Amino acid sequence: MIIGRKGQQVDQLQDELQSLVGRRINIKIEEVARPELQAHLVAEEIAEQLAKRASFRRTMKRVLEQTMEAGAKGIKVQLAAG
């Protein structure tokens, strides 16, 4: 999600962080094999879609379907306007 092509995003992020902190920063990259099964990644995806003004019903149905197809035993999503 964050890496981009050939690690461009990682280098850019590292440069930005170094300029903010003023020190050398090493970034450790950890691959997530099945992001559809990680609750916080699913929540971030929903939030990102809603921030782009996507239809919440379509977004919720698509995320539920993807998660269940990925092998989850179940999923519970709660959405509130705020």
Side-chain angles (χ1 to χ4, degrees):
M1 299 180 121
I2 196 171
I3 294 175
R5 294 218 182 262
K6 297 182 182 177
Q8 288 176 321
Q9 295 286 338
V10 174
D11 294 336
Q12 182 181 2
L13 177 65
Q14 188 172 10
D15 292 340
E16 288 177 20
L17 288 174
Q18 286 177 3
S19 66
L20 285 173
V21 175
R23 299 172 56 178
R24 175 129 173 83
I25 294 177
N26 292 324
I27 297 177
K28 180 180 175 186
I29 299 172
E30 185 176 316
E31 182 179 355
V32 177
R34 296 168 72 184
E36 301 89 13
L37 297 179
Q38 297 288 323
H40 65 280
L41 294 177
V42 172
E44 283 181 20
E45 182 180 348
I46 292 171
E48 185 178 303
Q49 291 296 317
L50 294 177
K52 292 180 183 177
R53 308 288 292 168
S55 167
F56 78 92
R57 284 190 178 90
R58 188 177 308 129
T59 300
M60 299 302 270
K61 286 180 183 179
R62 186 178 52 78
V63 168
L64 290 171
E65 188 175 305
Q66 284 177 347
T67 304
M68 292 305 291
E69 286 177 359
K73 293 182 181 179
I75 180 170
K76 182 178 183 178
V77 181
Q78 188 173 17
L79 178 68

